Amino acid sequence: MLIVQKFGGTSVGDLDRIANVAKRVSATKKEGNDVIVVVSAMSGETNKLVGYAENFSKNPSKAEMDMLLSSGERVTASLLSIALNEMGHKTVAMTGRKAGIITDDSHTKARIEEINPEVMRANIQEGRIIVVAGFQGVNYAGDITTLGRGGSDLSAVAIAGAIGADLCEIYTDVSGIYTTDPRIEPKAKKLDKISYDEMLELASLGAKVLQNRSVEMAKKLNVNLVTRTSFSNEEGTLITKEENIMEAPLVSGIALDRNQARISLIGVIDKPGIASDIFNRLAEAEVNIDVIIQNKAQDGTTNIDFTVPVAELNDAKSVVDAFVAKGDIKDDSYNENICKVSVVGVGMKSHAGVAARAFSTMAENNININMISTSEIKVSMVIDEKYAELAVRGLHATYELDK
Ligand code: ADP
Ligand code: ASP
Ligand code: MG
């Protein structure tokens, strides 16, 4: 088999853990498999580098950030390759460029445009274990780009898809996908299987166990994806097509996203095209908008509230400031102390009342709901951040996910 194994930050968090990873990879190779390994930076390393840059600038150049942040993964890739080589394997460490990962120009959250796996293929043919530095690629001009936080998951899935691997294993610090973050609700249960769509919702709504774009890619390329722990041999969770799951539960999980901020636009001039104008400008600035609500104010203007990822707040503010300066918006305010809790399940498609039970749970816990958004398979609520854990545990109990 050709297997892609991705090891996250905690799994390569120190030299002993890298040695442990080397043993696991070596065993996989000795069983007769071809192996491509994708590694993250040591845990905490990327944040440390971000902090270094912030020491010099509130708004550092995104191209320079990519030069900086991509270095963490190169450290672990080369160390793991050296360790495996010492164990008697033929190995090669690769940057994103050498692995043939080409992206667009969107620094710090680049999208993969293509992967040219020829160099990887040739090295596999020669019996080498390939260790790829995750989270990075190059644009067509040859500049280093990174794939967004948590992006090593995407590197792994995209490589698995491009090279036609039989399996893509994501090794992390929990033994699979749980009904909610087990660090928030210790009663959370591990799922044996989950559909691509549900996993995509959970990941997009804040469950950082898999980067959302990696799940999107896995679904598109039909990658056999398994999440498991690097600390034991416990079986993990298979992420697969919905039809492979016999009995879809009503609700499969609760997600929490703390990295959201709320933007309130007060006194927006009421004329056709204004919303389109504002949101088009935000899109051009590559700000991802989530929940939106709009309502009429007394004086004939409107108020528009929406949420954005905290990391994109600065970009959003610049756009809004321009409208305030023009007089199209009277006032604006920002709140980072919010979070979004979401209930996800494909079973919702055919059952009524799921959302109502979520709202009742908030009421029972005296939690005020600020914003609501729903889709076929999820209900999201924006609430005060201080109630995050209470809300997650309450919802987990309401849908009996601990049973
Ligand atoms: P890595 O460094 O290996 O990429 P991450 O920290 O990115 O690991 O993701 C693993 C973490 O995701 C877990 O430690 C856990 O706290 C969190 N998590 C959030 N939601 C879930 C969930 N539904 N199931 C499992 N883990 C979850
Ligand atoms: N090191 C990067 C991050 O912390 C990428 C990753 O770990 O997947 O976001
Ligand atoms: Mg991760």
Side-chain angles (χ1 to χ4, degrees), residues 6-12 40-44 149-153 170-184 188-191 194 199 202-203 206-211 227-228 230 237 252-256:
K6 179 260 172 177
F7 294 89
T10 24
S11 305
V12 293
S40 287
M42 293 182 182
S43 63
R149 296 305 303 270
S152 298
D153 296 333
I170 306 286
Y171 285 90
T172 183
D173 55 2
V174 287
S175 54
I177 310 299
Y178 282 71
T179 46
T180 194
D181 189 339
R183 289 180 209 286
I184 295 177
K189 288 265 178 307
K190 190 178 75 184
L191 304 165
I194 185 168
M199 190 62 235
L202 284 175
K208 69 163 184 167
V209 59
L210 283 176
Q211 191 220 29
T227 305
R228 55 192 303 183
S230 63
T237 301
S252 28
I254 313 293
L256 170 65

Side-chain angles (χ1 to χ4, degrees), residues 311-364:
E312 296 169 16
L313 191 54
N314 270 339
D315 292 342
K317 275 183 182 165
S318 316
V319 172
V320 170
D321 283 348
F323 284 92
V324 174
K326 267 197 296 183
D328 284 352
I329 298 173
K330 257 188 226 141
D331 203 4
D332 52 343
S333 73
Y334 303 87
N335 183 357
E336 290 185 48
N337 299 319
I338 57 149
C339 68
K340 188 173 63 182
V341 281
S342 307
V343 178
V344 173
V346 286
M348 274 184 220
K349 283 186 205 168
S350 46
H351 287 82
V354 175
R357 282 167 74 194
F359 305 150
S360 307
T361 306
M362 295 301 111
E364 283 153 21

Side-chain angles (χ1 to χ4, degrees), residues 2 34 36 94 99 115-128 130 159-165:
L2 172 54
D34 291 321
I36 299 175
M94 292 188 182
I115 294 191
N116 304 312
E118 293 75 29
V119 177
M120 284 193 287
R121 250 192 213 118
N123 278 280
I124 295 275
Q125 291 286 305
E126 288 163 12
R128 290 202 176 83
I130 300 174
I159 288 172
I163 206 156

Side-chain angles (χ1 to χ4, degrees), residues 13-32:
D14 59 35
L15 300 182
D16 286 339
R17 287 190 173 168
I18 293 177
N20 178 49
V21 166
K23 278 191 206 139
R24 190 180 284 270
V25 172
S26 172
T28 311
K29 177 75 180 165
K30 282 184 179 153
E31 282 162 16

Side-chain angles (χ1 to χ4, degrees), residues 6-9 39-47 69 72-73 134-136 148-155 211:
K6 179 260 172 177
F7 294 89
V39 287
S40 287
M42 293 182 182
S43 63
E45 191 61 27
T46 310
N47 286 340
L69 299 191
E73 270 69 11
F135 180 49
Q136 55 180 283
R149 296 305 303 270
S152 298
D153 296 333
L154 177 61
S155 308
Q211 191 220 29

